[in-house]
């Protein structure tokens, strides 16, 4: 007896999800997204506001988009993700659908059901797609794992109480504890 075939999903399936249903398309699989917890949303709001204020005051040419915001990571219509926060400095990547290509900086806020995706699958996908900086903010551990993927690659672990330097914006540091 043959084994059942696994369904392969496409960007058409992603874009035709029922209203109100959120998912991400990675390697032909749809991953449903549960509604976020309160602390998750508070972190998205405060981090977005802090980064936006810095952009307005210092650089002016980057855009910040909190989820839900579609990112076609490889610009080939096969991987659609919704990072919690996307910072895009190349405006040519922006379309009516979202971002076509890798954002410069992605922040994911870990929820109980997303840890494996954030720390492994998305880490690999973001790195290979050309994301310059990736943060994984874990409110359950009060920790932030940062990754720099360009130049001399680097990874560091910070507590919420520490000033965390932002690689793509020299001069900006974020202390998560001060935001909450």
């Amino acid at each position: 007896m043959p084994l059942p075939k696994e369904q392969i999903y496409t960007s058409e399936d992603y874009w035709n999800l029922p209203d109100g249903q959120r998912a991400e398309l990675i390697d032909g699989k749809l991953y449903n997204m549960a509604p976020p917890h309160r602390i998750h949303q508070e972190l998205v709001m405060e981090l977005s506001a802090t980064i936006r204020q810095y952009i307005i005051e210092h650089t002016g040419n980057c855009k910040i988009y909190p989820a839900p915001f579609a990112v076609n990571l490889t610009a080939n219509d096969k991987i659609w993700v919704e990072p919690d926060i996307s910072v895009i400095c190349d405006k040519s990547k922006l379309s009516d659908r979202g971002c076509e290509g890798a954002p410069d900086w992605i922040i994911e806020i870990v929820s109980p059901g997303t840890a494996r995706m954030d720390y492994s699958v998305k880490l690999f996908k973001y790195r290979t797609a050309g994301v310059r900086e990736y943060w994984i903010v874990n409110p359950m551990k009060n920790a932030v794992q940062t990754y720099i993927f360009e130049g001399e690659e680097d990874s560091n672990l910070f507590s919420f109480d520490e000033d965390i330097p932002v690689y793509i914006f020299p001069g900006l540091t974020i202390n998560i504890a001060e935001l909450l």
Side-chain angles (χ1 to χ4, degrees), residues 27-160:
D27 297 331
K29 294 181 183 179
L30 281 174
Y31 295 89
N32 288 318
M33 300 175 73
H37 294 282
R38 180 195 59 82
I39 191 70
H40 180 280
Q41 290 304 92
E42 188 172 342
L43 283 164
V44 168
M45 176 70 177
E46 296 300 332
L47 284 165
S48 295
T50 300
I51 297 163
R52 183 175 184 275
Q53 190 61 40
Y54 182 85
I55 290 170
I56 289 168
E57 293 175 0
H58 293 89
T59 61
N61 64 339
C62 299
K63 294 285 190 179
I64 181 168
Y65 296 94
F69 179 73
V71 173
N72 183 353
L73 252 189
T74 54
N76 67 5
D77 225 25
K78 295 191 188 278
I79 298 177
W80 287 93
V81 293
E82 291 187 17
D84 291 313
I85 299 173
S86 300
V87 177
I88 297 114
C89 299
D90 179 354
K91 291 182 184 174
S92 72
K93 292 181 179 181
L94 297 173
S95 73
D96 288 342
R97 293 173 99 183
C99 180
E100 309 282 339
D104 292 271
W105 181 17
I106 289 178
I107 299 174
E108 294 283 9
I109 314 295
V110 176
S111 297
T114 67
R116 184 183 75 77
M117 288 293 287
D118 294 336
Y119 284 105
S120 62
V121 175
K122 287 185 176 181
L123 171 65
F124 176 76
K125 295 297 182 187
Y126 293 162
R127 182 178 180 266
T128 56
V131 171
R132 296 169 57 202
E133 183 166 1
Y134 175 41
W135 285 21
I136 304 173
V137 178
N138 190 329
M140 297 164 288
K141 295 184 177 183
N142 289 334
V144 179
Q145 183 73 50
T146 65
Y147 297 92
I148 309 304
F149 296 136
E150 72 176 8
E152 192 170 318
E153 291 189 11
D154 196 15
S155 174
N156 290 289
L157 181 63
F158 297 92
S159 75
F160 275 19

